[in-house]
Amino acid sequence: MTPAYKFPHNFLWGAATAAYQIEGAWNEDGKGESIWDRFSHTPGKIEDDSTGDIACDHYHRWREDIALMRRLGLKAYRFSTAWTRVLPTGRGRVNPKGLDFYDRLVDALCAANIEPFLTLYHWDLPQALQDEGGWASRHTCHAFADYAALMVKRLGDRVKFWTTFNEPGVVAFDGHLAGEHAPGLQDAALTYHVAHHLLVAHGLATQAMRAANPSVNAGIVLNLWMADAVSEDSADVAAAHAAWERSETLFLDPLFKGHYPNAAYELVGESMPKIQDGDLALIAQELDYVGINFYSRNLYNAQGHIDHVEGAEYTEMGWEVCAPALRRLLNKIHREYRLPPIYITENGAAFNDEVSADGKVHDPRRLDYLKNHFIQTRLAMQDGVDVRGYFVWSLMDNFEWAHGYTKRFGLIRVEYETQKRTLKDSGEWYAEVIRKNEVSE
Ligand code: FCB
């Protein structure tokens, strides 16, 4: 008998997407321009010169997509709302058609018994707000809180789980330092101001949502990479520890300890943002949950980062496959922070899937990836970590930001020319996992 890992009966099995990556209809029904519309329309920014103009055409095909979610037996669906669909210029005039879209989507999810798990910001800032300074400006924080309240007023009777931000670190660093994401800036000093403003916006929005409807569950989603040492040698361990402090604590510490990490001050010195009175308390408000996005780890020895791990498997993103690092990560953050319940809000892998002669998509590597990460999560739960649910990234192949359509993460294959959807083998397998509520090795 292979061992089976049973999950708690109310464990929330789901899949995740984001508005810009799947919706398309970028300028339909009154939607305003976002920074990702602008960025992808700028030549040279996206690997395959593509855009999210059409993407998976989910804006028109959402009924079919919910039918596929039912086929998977999903208990929950994590999606994001496009700010510019409901507030085309970020504040002020509301676009009723945009609100109606999410209203219909949420109704259909509820009718299908699928818990809606809503993210307010998955990177698509209104371009009009960017033109006024974007996240470098504190005004944007207030506009975000107003948007959050608007959404809760309309959907809060049916949507229980509200996430303010998806991966604020990626917003700050990829968007404002590396310049590989919208708005494509490369400005080190600005990056930390943006990071602080994202956290302030998170705090303001959390207050605004609770004021609009005290029963909402408010949370935030962080992407974390475990920092492993190559050996137990103290120099290697110290290198891994320093790397963790440098790159993973910038959001965890203020959110769950109420202050910025010393490492941030050492790194940026003078460029640390001006923290106003009350900011740190606002940021560290109790949350109802925290979402963790996990894909891979970083490995260190005393000399620094090890770029290629001998014998390891890598995904198409160039990320090492290392499921045990997820268990270590969950235990680490559980030990070092006083956290609310955890949801794995993203985990998955990009591989070059092909459609076989039998019309199916055989993707054993994705299946194994998910299986091993599910098992490591279950083990972390046995270690005492409170994990309540799991969202596979992604429900379907989609627009992978700067990589365009070159990376496929889906449980469902999307043929972009025809928009044909095909459930992959990993999807069929996931449906079984959900049905049995257990994973076998
Ligand atoms: C995460 C993003 C998600 C997707 C995955 C692969 O950083 O939140 O939208 O791009 O990576």
Side-chain angles (χ1 to χ4, degrees):
M1 274 281 289
T2 49
Y5 297 84
K6 198 86 199 134
F7 282 72
H9 77 276
N10 52 357
F11 195 77
L12 216 51
W13 293 107
T17 62
Y20 189 70
Q21 296 180 275
I22 65 162
E23 283 183 1
W26 76 282
N27 62 357
E28 238 177 280
D29 287 345
K31 180 181 166 296
E33 187 192 13
S34 81
I35 56 172
W36 268 96
D37 294 317
R38 178 70 62 93
F39 190 72
S40 72
H41 291 159
T42 309
K45 299 293 183 195
I46 310 297
E47 196 177 318
D48 56 0
D49 290 324
S50 64
T51 70
D53 289 3
I54 299 172
C56 306
D57 196 28
H58 172 76
Y59 187 73
H60 300 112
R61 294 171 195 264
W62 57 275
R63 287 184 193 79
E64 178 186 352
D65 293 335
I66 292 182
L68 286 163
M69 293 179 213
R70 291 181 92 133
R71 184 151 166 226
L72 282 162
L74 295 191
K75 306 246 188 269
Y77 172 52
R78 174 173 179 246
F79 63 102
S80 79
T81 51
W83 190 341
T84 51
R85 225 179 255 300
V86 297
L87 290 159
T89 56
R91 59 161 75 87
R93 189 179 56 80
V94 174
N95 178 33
K97 286 190 174 166
L99 276 175
D100 290 347
F101 170 68
Y102 295 114
D103 203 76
R104 286 193 298 271
L105 182 73
V106 165
D107 272 347
L109 288 169
C110 293
N113 251 317
I114 299 170
E115 186 82 53
F117 214 96
L118 188 152
T119 301
L120 288 162
Y121 192 82
H122 203 124
W123 306 353
D124 43 357
L125 185 74
Q127 181 62 41
L129 295 183
Q130 184 62 43
D131 295 342
E132 295 172 17
W135 291 114
S137 158
R138 224 171 144 107
H139 296 301
T140 304
C141 306
H142 294 281
F144 180 69
D146 292 345
Y147 155 58
L150 172 77
M151 298 308 282
V152 166
K153 280 182 198 144
R154 180 69 181 260
L155 305 173
D157 56 335
R158 286 152 290 158
V159 178
K160 289 200 241 125
F161 292 94
W162 292 79
T163 299
T164 52
F165 287 93
N166 178 70
E167 304 189 348
V170 172
V171 176
F173 289 91
D174 294 36
H176 299 81
L177 184 64
E180 285 164 10
H181 280 190
L185 303 178
Q186 292 178 300
D187 184 337
L190 196 73
T191 304
Y192 286 82
H193 286 79
V194 165
H196 183 60
H197 287 153
L198 292 171
L199 285 170
V200 169
H202 158 78
L204 290 172
T206 301
Q207 285 182 336
M209 291 196 290
R210 286 176 172 157
N213 185 338
S215 69
V216 299
N217 285 298
I220 190 166
V221 166
L222 303 178
N223 57 313
L224 296 175
W225 288 54
M226 183 59 188
D228 278 333
V230 74
S231 80
E232 282 169 25
D233 186 277
S234 63
D236 295 339
V237 172
H241 175 76
W244 168 270
E245 294 290 308
R246 245 187 350 260
S247 48
E248 310 296 326
T249 58
L250 182 65
F251 296 93
L252 276 172
D253 278 16
L255 285 163
F256 301 109
K257 286 185 174 165
H259 57 78
Y260 278 104
N262 291 335
Y265 289 95
E266 286 157 19
L267 270 176
V268 268
E270 298 273 286
S271 315
M272 270 307 270
K274 295 276 165 300
I275 298 166
Q276 298 185 8
D277 279 354
D279 279 1
L280 290 175
L282 180 71
I283 293 168
Q285 274 167 89
E286 287 279 319
L287 293 179
D288 299 297
Y289 66 91
V290 60
I292 303 298
N293 293 351
F294 178 87
Y295 289 94
S296 184
R297 61 140 179 202
N298 286 306
L299 187 63
Y300 298 90
N301 62 18
Q303 283 70 49
H305 186 255
I306 296 176
D307 292 332
H308 188 87
V309 182
E310 264 317 296
E313 181 188 6
Y314 282 85
T315 71
E316 277 303 305
M317 295 296 281
W319 296 341
E320 187 199 351
V321 177
C322 183
L326 174 54
R327 180 183 186 183
R328 287 194 290 277
L329 174 83
L330 290 169
N331 274 289
K332 181 176 173 65
I333 58 175
H334 173 70
R335 241 185 355 257
E336 296 180 4
Y337 297 90
R338 216 171 51 79
L339 296 178
I342 296 174
Y343 290 84
I344 306 294
T345 33
E346 287 181 26
N347 173 247
F351 290 114
N352 277 342
D353 310 312
E354 304 281 347
V355 182
S356 297
D358 61 4
K360 297 194 167 184
V361 180
H362 304 299
D363 59 342
R365 294 178 68 193
R366 181 174 296 100
L367 190 158
D368 275 347
Y369 179 98
L370 292 173
K371 183 203 286 178
N372 292 327
H373 285 78
F374 292 169
I375 291 172
Q376 292 297 321
T377 300
R378 187 69 190 95
L379 292 172
M381 292 161 74
Q382 281 165 18
D383 298 335
V385 186
D386 185 7
V387 183
R388 303 278 176 95
Y390 208 112
F391 295 82
V392 172
W393 186 270
S394 175
L395 175 69
M396 54 186 151
D397 295 340
N398 58 46
F399 179 79
E400 178 48 35
W401 309 111
H403 297 292
Y405 298 100
T406 65
K407 305 284 183 263
R408 294 181 176 272
F409 273 93
L411 293 164
I412 295 165
R413 179 182 174 87
V414 176
E415 223 64 73
Y416 296 108
E417 297 73 35
T418 58
Q419 293 294 342
K420 182 170 184 254
R421 273 89 158 130
T422 308
L423 197 59
K424 300 179 191 177
D425 284 1
S426 59
E428 305 273 8
W429 170 84
Y430 188 38
E432 269 299 290
V433 168
I434 299 174
R435 199 178 58 71
K436 292 193 182 145
N437 201 28
E438 71 177 37
V439 182
S440 309
E441 256 182 281

